[in-house]
Amino acid sequence: MTKRSYFISALFLFSIVSLVVVSSCGPGGDDTPEPQADPDLHSGYATDEIKQTHVYGTDPCPQPITTKLKIYCFDGNAFTECSADSVSIEGHSDGINIKFINGKKFVRLTTSEAPTEATLEFTCGIAKSFTQTYTLHLFKNGNPVGTETVKVVVTVEGN
């Protein structure tokens, strides 16, 4: 073995050993992260509040709101069966566009634990911070089963 290949092999071995030693070092005790609250838990049918910050001159206009409005076919945290099969959204703001995947403000809900999502977009149509409240009307077989409100809080900075 030449000196050069011996040096490269030794360097490689040293790197592997160092990596193993360094990864096994550290503070003692349990390194298990603290459990985080489940962001999908809900007390009713839908997300209660969505917050967004927009920085003029930095963020794009229009700006997609990263948090989606999630609506479930059941009321509460445990899925047993669907008590709603469709939803419509009431409310308008020059600062926010809101719609379901079908492009409308009403949709049939999924019939599982998975939420139906509505996307939101800050339009830059309002130049200062504001709060918009939307009302969700939930139906089962064409009959109303409940209403809920969703608050969207937009903080506008840099203007």
Side-chain angles (χ1 to χ4, degrees), residues 24-53:
S24 66
C25 294
D30 187 10
D31 290 338
T32 306
E34 290 290 322
Q36 300 296 317
D38 185 351
D40 289 337
L41 291 179
H42 54 98
S43 59
Y45 285 97
T47 307
D48 295 321
E49 183 175 282
I50 295 172
K51 294 181 179 182
Q52 180 72 19
T53 300

PDB file of all heavy atoms in Angstrom, residues 24-53:
ATOM      1  N   SER A  24     -22.394   9.720  20.035  1.00  0.00           N
ATOM      2  CA  SER A  24     -22.748   9.059  21.277  1.00  0.00           C
ATOM      3  C   SER A  24     -22.529   9.960  22.480  1.00  0.00           C
ATOM      4  O   SER A  24     -22.950   9.648  23.575  1.00  0.00           O
ATOM      5  CB  SER A  24     -21.944   7.759  21.438  1.00  0.00           C
ATOM      6  OG  SER A  24     -20.578   8.065  21.600  1.00  0.00           O
ATOM      7  N   CYS A  25     -21.863  11.104  22.290  1.00  0.00           N
ATOM      8  CA  CYS A  25     -21.647  12.042  23.379  1.00  0.00           C
ATOM      9  C   CYS A  25     -22.841  12.966  23.498  1.00  0.00           C
ATOM     10  O   CYS A  25     -23.656  13.064  22.607  1.00  0.00           O
ATOM     11  CB  CYS A  25     -20.400  12.898  23.120  1.00  0.00           C
ATOM     12  SG  CYS A  25     -18.885  11.935  23.147  1.00  0.00           S
ATOM     13  N   GLY A  26     -22.912  13.662  24.566  1.00  0.00           N
ATOM     14  CA  GLY A  26     -23.986  14.632  24.731  1.00  0.00           C
ATOM     15  C   GLY A  26     -24.556  14.537  26.106  1.00  0.00           C
ATOM     16  O   GLY A  26     -24.114  13.745  26.932  1.00  0.00           O
ATOM     17  N   PRO A  27     -25.545  15.329  26.395  1.00  0.00           N
ATOM     18  CA  PRO A  27     -26.119  15.321  27.726  1.00  0.00           C
ATOM     19  C   PRO A  27     -26.751  13.978  28.032  1.00  0.00           C
ATOM     20  O   PRO A  27     -27.315  13.330  27.161  1.00  0.00           O
ATOM     21  CB  PRO A  27     -27.165  16.436  27.685  1.00  0.00           C
ATOM     22  CG  PRO A  27     -27.461  16.650  26.252  1.00  0.00           C
ATOM     23  CD  PRO A  27     -26.229  16.243  25.502  1.00  0.00           C
ATOM     24  N   GLY A  28     -26.626  13.571  29.265  1.00  0.00           N
ATOM     25  CA  GLY A  28     -27.206  12.296  29.673  1.00  0.00           C
ATOM     26  C   GLY A  28     -28.699  12.428  29.818  1.00  0.00           C
ATOM     27  O   GLY A  28     -29.280  13.502  29.692  1.00  0.00           O
ATOM     28  N   GLY A  29     -29.331  11.325  30.092  1.00  0.00           N
ATOM     29  CA  GLY A  29     -30.772  11.371  30.307  1.00  0.00           C
ATOM     30  C   GLY A  29     -31.532  11.078  29.044  1.00  0.00           C
ATOM     31  O   GLY A  29     -30.980  10.683  28.024  1.00  0.00           O
ATOM     32  N   ASP A  30     -32.786  11.300  29.139  1.00  0.00           N
ATOM     33  CA  ASP A  30     -33.689  11.000  28.030  1.00  0.00           C
ATOM     34  C   ASP A  30     -33.703  12.152  27.037  1.00  0.00           C
ATOM     35  O   ASP A  30     -34.005  13.282  27.383  1.00  0.00           O
ATOM     36  CB  ASP A  30     -35.088  10.780  28.591  1.00  0.00           C
ATOM     37  CG  ASP A  30     -36.067  10.302  27.552  1.00  0.00           C
ATOM     38  OD1 ASP A  30     -35.638   9.953  26.441  1.00  0.00           O
ATOM     39  OD2 ASP A  30     -37.268  10.281  27.851  1.00  0.00           O
ATOM     40  N   ASP A  31     -33.362  11.862  25.774  1.00  0.00           N
ATOM     41  CA  ASP A  31     -33.349  12.884  24.735  1.00  0.00           C
ATOM     42  C   ASP A  31     -34.657  12.911  23.954  1.00  0.00           C
ATOM     43  O   ASP A  31     -34.747  13.519  22.901  1.00  0.00           O
ATOM     44  CB  ASP A  31     -32.187  12.650  23.757  1.00  0.00           C
ATOM     45  CG  ASP A  31     -30.837  12.933  24.401  1.00  0.00           C
ATOM     46  OD1 ASP A  31     -30.809  13.681  25.396  1.00  0.00           O
ATOM     47  OD2 ASP A  31     -29.835  12.399  23.909  1.00  0.00           O
ATOM     48  N   THR A  32     -35.684  12.246  24.458  1.00  0.00           N
ATOM     49  CA  THR A  32     -36.963  12.207  23.774  1.00  0.00           C
ATOM     50  C   THR A  32     -37.607  13.589  23.814  1.00  0.00           C
ATOM     51  O   THR A  32     -37.718  14.182  24.887  1.00  0.00           O
ATOM     52  CB  THR A  32     -37.909  11.194  24.459  1.00  0.00           C
ATOM     53  OG1 THR A  32     -37.247   9.935  24.535  1.00  0.00           O
ATOM     54  CG2 THR A  32     -39.211  11.073  23.707  1.00  0.00           C
ATOM     55  N   PRO A  33     -38.009  14.119  22.658  1.00  0.00           N
ATOM     56  CA  PRO A  33     -38.619  15.458  22.652  1.00  0.00           C
ATOM     57  C   PRO A  33     -39.956  15.447  23.383  1.00  0.00           C
ATOM     58  O   PRO A  33     -40.644  14.435  23.437  1.00  0.00           O
ATOM     59  CB  PRO A  33     -38.785  15.771  21.170  1.00  0.00           C
ATOM     60  CG  PRO A  33     -38.748  14.465  20.478  1.00  0.00           C
ATOM     61  CD  PRO A  33     -37.938  13.535  21.338  1.00  0.00           C
ATOM     62  N   GLU A  34     -40.288  16.609  23.915  1.00  0.00           N
ATOM     63  CA  GLU A  34     -41.575  16.770  24.585  1.00  0.00           C
ATOM     64  C   GLU A  34     -42.691  16.594  23.558  1.00  0.00           C
ATOM     65  O   GLU A  34     -42.584  17.086  22.440  1.00  0.00           O
ATOM     66  CB  GLU A  34     -41.678  18.172  25.194  1.00  0.00           C
ATOM     67  CG  GLU A  34     -40.765  18.399  26.373  1.00  0.00           C
ATOM     68  CD  GLU A  34     -41.198  17.619  27.598  1.00  0.00           C
ATOM     69  OE1 GLU A  34     -42.413  17.503  27.843  1.00  0.00           O
ATOM     70  OE2 GLU A  34     -40.307  17.105  28.282  1.00  0.00           O
ATOM     71  N   PRO A  35     -43.757  15.904  23.909  1.00  0.00           N
ATOM     72  CA  PRO A  35     -44.862  15.782  22.950  1.00  0.00           C
ATOM     73  C   PRO A  35     -45.491  17.140  22.691  1.00  0.00           C
ATOM     74  O   PRO A  35     -45.651  17.941  23.597  1.00  0.00           O
ATOM     75  CB  PRO A  35     -45.849  14.838  23.649  1.00  0.00           C
ATOM     76  CG  PRO A  35     -45.471  14.855  25.087  1.00  0.00           C
ATOM     77  CD  PRO A  35     -44.022  15.247  25.166  1.00  0.00           C
ATOM     78  N   GLN A  36     -45.810  17.384  21.433  1.00  0.00           N
ATOM     79  CA  GLN A  36     -46.426  18.644  21.031  1.00  0.00           C
ATOM     80  C   GLN A  36     -47.930  18.440  20.912  1.00  0.00           C
ATOM     81  O   GLN A  36     -48.399  17.347  20.633  1.00  0.00           O
ATOM     82  CB  GLN A  36     -45.861  19.109  19.677  1.00  0.00           C
ATOM     83  CG  GLN A  36     -44.371  19.340  19.691  1.00  0.00           C
ATOM     84  CD  GLN A  36     -43.980  20.471  20.632  1.00  0.00           C
ATOM     85  OE1 GLN A  36     -44.627  21.497  20.656  1.00  0.00           O
ATOM     86  NE2 GLN A  36     -42.947  20.271  21.418  1.00  0.00           N
ATOM     87  N   ALA A  37     -48.668  19.495  21.111  1.00  0.00           N
ATOM     88  CA  ALA A  37     -50.117  19.422  20.956  1.00  0.00           C
ATOM     89  C   ALA A  37     -50.440  19.096  19.502  1.00  0.00           C
ATOM     90  O   ALA A  37     -49.795  19.591  18.589  1.00  0.00           O
ATOM     91  CB  ALA A  37     -50.752  20.748  21.349  1.00  0.00           C
ATOM     92  N   ASP A  38     -51.420  18.253  19.307  1.00  0.00           N
ATOM     93  CA  ASP A  38     -51.831  17.875  17.960  1.00  0.00           C
ATOM     94  C   ASP A  38     -52.551  19.059  17.310  1.00  0.00           C
ATOM     95  O   ASP A  38     -53.602  19.483  17.793  1.00  0.00           O
ATOM     96  CB  ASP A  38     -52.754  16.666  18.035  1.00  0.00           C
ATOM     97  CG  ASP A  38     -53.145  16.129  16.670  1.00  0.00           C
ATOM     98  OD1 ASP A  38     -52.846  16.789  15.652  1.00  0.00           O
ATOM     99  OD2 ASP A  38     -53.745  15.047  16.614  1.00  0.00           O
ATOM    100  N   PRO A  39     -51.978  19.618  16.221  1.00  0.00           N
ATOM    101  CA  PRO A  39     -52.600  20.799  15.613  1.00  0.00           C
ATOM    102  C   PRO A  39     -53.952  20.502  14.966  1.00  0.00           C
ATOM    103  O   PRO A  39     -54.692  21.410  14.654  1.00  0.00           O
ATOM    104  CB  PRO A  39     -51.575  21.237  14.565  1.00  0.00           C
ATOM    105  CG  PRO A  39     -50.831  19.987  14.233  1.00  0.00           C
ATOM    106  CD  PRO A  39     -50.809  19.177  15.507  1.00  0.00           C
ATOM    107  N   ASP A  40     -54.289  19.222  14.773  1.00  0.00           N
ATOM    108  CA  ASP A  40     -55.546  18.892  14.122  1.00  0.00           C
ATOM    109  C   ASP A  40     -56.692  18.682  15.108  1.00  0.00           C
ATOM    110  O   ASP A  40     -57.806  18.398  14.700  1.00  0.00           O
ATOM    111  CB  ASP A  40     -55.379  17.642  13.251  1.00  0.00           C
ATOM    112  CG  ASP A  40     -54.551  17.937  12.018  1.00  0.00           C
ATOM    113  OD1 ASP A  40     -54.493  19.109  11.610  1.00  0.00           O
ATOM    114  OD2 ASP A  40     -53.956  17.005  11.477  1.00  0.00           O
ATOM    115  N   LEU A  41     -56.425  18.799  16.420  1.00  0.00           N
ATOM    116  CA  LEU A  41     -57.514  18.672  17.368  1.00  0.00           C
ATOM    117  C   LEU A  41     -58.438  19.873  17.213  1.00  0.00           C
ATOM    118  O   LEU A  41     -57.997  20.988  17.003  1.00  0.00           O
ATOM    119  CB  LEU A  41     -56.984  18.614  18.796  1.00  0.00           C
ATOM    120  CG  LEU A  41     -56.217  17.350  19.176  1.00  0.00           C
ATOM    121  CD1 LEU A  41     -55.740  17.441  20.607  1.00  0.00           C
ATOM    122  CD2 LEU A  41     -57.045  16.103  18.972  1.00  0.00           C
ATOM    123  N   HIS A  42     -59.720  19.619  17.314  1.00  0.00           N
ATOM    124  CA  HIS A  42     -60.679  20.696  17.168  1.00  0.00           C
ATOM    125  C   HIS A  42     -61.840  20.439  18.108  1.00  0.00           C
ATOM    126  O   HIS A  42     -62.171  19.302  18.407  1.00  0.00           O
ATOM    127  CB  HIS A  42     -61.143  20.816  15.712  1.00  0.00           C
ATOM    128  CG  HIS A  42     -61.663  19.525  15.165  1.00  0.00           C
ATOM    129  ND1 HIS A  42     -62.998  19.238  15.119  1.00  0.00           N
ATOM    130  CD2 HIS A  42     -61.032  18.453  14.660  1.00  0.00           C
ATOM    131  CE1 HIS A  42     -63.161  18.034  14.603  1.00  0.00           C
ATOM    132  NE2 HIS A  42     -61.991  17.535  14.314  1.00  0.00           N
ATOM    133  N   SER A  43     -62.441  21.493  18.591  1.00  0.00           N
ATOM    134  CA  SER A  43     -63.557  21.348  19.514  1.00  0.00           C
ATOM    135  C   SER A  43     -64.893  21.261  18.780  1.00  0.00           C
ATOM    136  O   SER A  43     -65.878  20.815  19.338  1.00  0.00           O
ATOM    137  CB  SER A  43     -63.579  22.505  20.513  1.00  0.00           C
ATOM    138  OG  SER A  43     -63.689  23.724  19.820  1.00  0.00           O
ATOM    139  N   GLY A  44     -64.913  21.710  17.560  1.00  0.00           N
ATOM    140  CA  GLY A  44     -66.137  21.656  16.761  1.00  0.00           C
ATOM    141  C   GLY A  44     -65.860  20.955  15.453  1.00  0.00           C
ATOM    142  O   GLY A  44     -65.086  20.012  15.385  1.00  0.00           O
ATOM    143  N   TYR A  45     -66.474  21.447  14.396  1.00  0.00           N
ATOM    144  CA  TYR A  45     -66.288  20.870  13.075  1.00  0.00           C
ATOM    145  C   TYR A  45     -65.046  21.396  12.356  1.00  0.00           C
ATOM    146  O   TYR A  45     -64.587  20.776  11.411  1.00  0.00           O
ATOM    147  CB  TYR A  45     -67.500  21.181  12.182  1.00  0.00           C
ATOM    148  CG  TYR A  45     -68.732  20.381  12.481  1.00  0.00           C
ATOM    149  CD1 TYR A  45     -69.745  20.895  13.283  1.00  0.00           C
ATOM    150  CD2 TYR A  45     -68.912  19.115  11.938  1.00  0.00           C
ATOM    151  CE1 TYR A  45     -70.893  20.168  13.541  1.00  0.00           C
ATOM    152  CE2 TYR A  45     -70.058  18.377  12.187  1.00  0.00           C
ATOM    153  CZ  TYR A  45     -71.039  18.909  13.002  1.00  0.00           C
ATOM    154  OH  TYR A  45     -72.181  18.188  13.253  1.00  0.00           O
ATOM    155  N   ALA A  46     -64.519  22.560  12.775  1.00  0.00           N
ATOM    156  CA  ALA A  46     -63.500  23.200  11.944  1.00  0.00           C
ATOM    157  C   ALA A  46     -62.465  23.963  12.758  1.00  0.00           C
ATOM    158  O   ALA A  46     -62.624  24.184  13.965  1.00  0.00           O
ATOM    159  CB  ALA A  46     -64.184  24.161  10.978  1.00  0.00           C
ATOM    160  N   THR A  47     -61.422  24.377  12.049  1.00  0.00           N
ATOM    161  CA  THR A  47     -60.389  25.239  12.600  1.00  0.00           C
ATOM    162  C   THR A  47     -61.046  26.497  13.168  1.00  0.00           C
ATOM    163  O   THR A  47     -61.905  27.095  12.522  1.00  0.00           O
ATOM    164  CB  THR A  47     -59.408  25.656  11.479  1.00  0.00           C
ATOM    165  OG1 THR A  47     -58.937  24.483  10.822  1.00  0.00           O
ATOM    166  CG2 THR A  47     -58.258  26.470  12.021  1.00  0.00           C
ATOM    167  N   ASP A  48     -60.640  26.886  14.366  1.00  0.00           N
ATOM    168  CA  ASP A  48     -61.251  28.060  15.002  1.00  0.00           C
ATOM    169  C   ASP A  48     -60.636  29.371  14.534  1.00  0.00           C
ATOM    170  O   ASP A  48     -61.336  30.362  14.346  1.00  0.00           O
ATOM    171  CB  ASP A  48     -61.103  27.983  16.522  1.00  0.00           C
ATOM    172  CG  ASP A  48     -61.881  26.819  17.103  1.00  0.00           C
ATOM    173  OD1 ASP A  48     -62.998  26.547  16.623  1.00  0.00           O
ATOM    174  OD2 ASP A  48     -61.363  26.181  18.024  1.00  0.00           O
ATOM    175  N   GLU A  49     -59.308  29.392  14.367  1.00  0.00           N
ATOM    176  CA  GLU A  49     -58.620  30.640  14.042  1.00  0.00           C
ATOM    177  C   GLU A  49     -57.399  30.357  13.174  1.00  0.00           C
ATOM    178  O   GLU A  49     -56.689  29.382  13.385  1.00  0.00           O
ATOM    179  CB  GLU A  49     -58.183  31.343  15.331  1.00  0.00           C
ATOM    180  CG  GLU A  49     -57.526  32.686  15.103  1.00  0.00           C
ATOM    181  CD  GLU A  49     -57.229  33.393  16.420  1.00  0.00           C
ATOM    182  OE1 GLU A  49     -58.173  33.958  17.012  1.00  0.00           O
ATOM    183  OE2 GLU A  49     -56.056  33.368  16.839  1.00  0.00           O
ATOM    184  N   ILE A  50     -57.170  31.245  12.218  1.00  0.00           N
ATOM    185  CA  ILE A  50     -56.005  31.168  11.336  1.00  0.00           C
ATOM    186  C   ILE A  50     -55.310  32.512  11.398  1.00  0.00           C
ATOM    187  O   ILE A  50     -55.961  33.549  11.313  1.00  0.00           O
ATOM    188  CB  ILE A  50     -56.429  30.847   9.887  1.00  0.00           C
ATOM    189  CG1 ILE A  50     -57.057  29.449   9.844  1.00  0.00           C
ATOM    190  CG2 ILE A  50     -55.250  30.969   8.929  1.00  0.00           C
ATOM    191  CD1 ILE A  50     -57.689  29.090   8.520  1.00  0.00           C
ATOM    192  N   LYS A  51     -53.974  32.474  11.566  1.00  0.00           N
ATOM    193  CA  LYS A  51     -53.200  33.722  11.630  1.00  0.00           C
ATOM    194  C   LYS A  51     -52.190  33.751  10.490  1.00  0.00           C
ATOM    195  O   LYS A  51     -51.612  32.728  10.138  1.00  0.00           O
ATOM    196  CB  LYS A  51     -52.460  33.825  12.961  1.00  0.00           C
ATOM    197  CG  LYS A  51     -53.390  33.948  14.143  1.00  0.00           C
ATOM    198  CD  LYS A  51     -52.622  34.077  15.443  1.00  0.00           C
ATOM    199  CE  LYS A  51     -53.581  34.220  16.608  1.00  0.00           C
ATOM    200  NZ  LYS A  51     -52.874  34.394  17.878  1.00  0.00           N
ATOM    201  N   GLN A  52     -51.991  34.947   9.943  1.00  0.00           N
ATOM    202  CA  GLN A  52     -51.032  35.146   8.858  1.00  0.00           C
ATOM    203  C   GLN A  52     -50.383  36.511   9.015  1.00  0.00           C
ATOM    204  O   GLN A  52     -51.053  37.482   9.377  1.00  0.00           O
ATOM    205  CB  GLN A  52     -51.726  35.057   7.497  1.00  0.00           C
ATOM    206  CG  GLN A  52     -50.827  35.240   6.301  1.00  0.00           C
ATOM    207  CD  GLN A  52     -49.909  34.050   6.072  1.00  0.00           C
ATOM    208  OE1 GLN A  52     -50.158  32.965   6.559  1.00  0.00           O
ATOM    209  NE2 GLN A  52     -48.852  34.254   5.319  1.00  0.00           N
ATOM    210  N   THR A  53     -49.093  36.576   8.730  1.00  0.00           N
ATOM    211  CA  THR A  53     -48.377  37.848   8.718  1.00  0.00           C
ATOM    212  C   THR A  53     -47.914  38.122   7.300  1.00  0.00           C
ATOM    213  O   THR A  53     -47.408  37.234   6.621  1.00  0.00           O
ATOM    214  CB  THR A  53     -47.164  37.812   9.673  1.00  0.00           C
ATOM    215  OG1 THR A  53     -47.636  37.557  10.995  1.00  0.00           O
ATOM    216  CG2 THR A  53     -46.396  39.116   9.646  1.00  0.00           C
TER     217      THR A  53
END
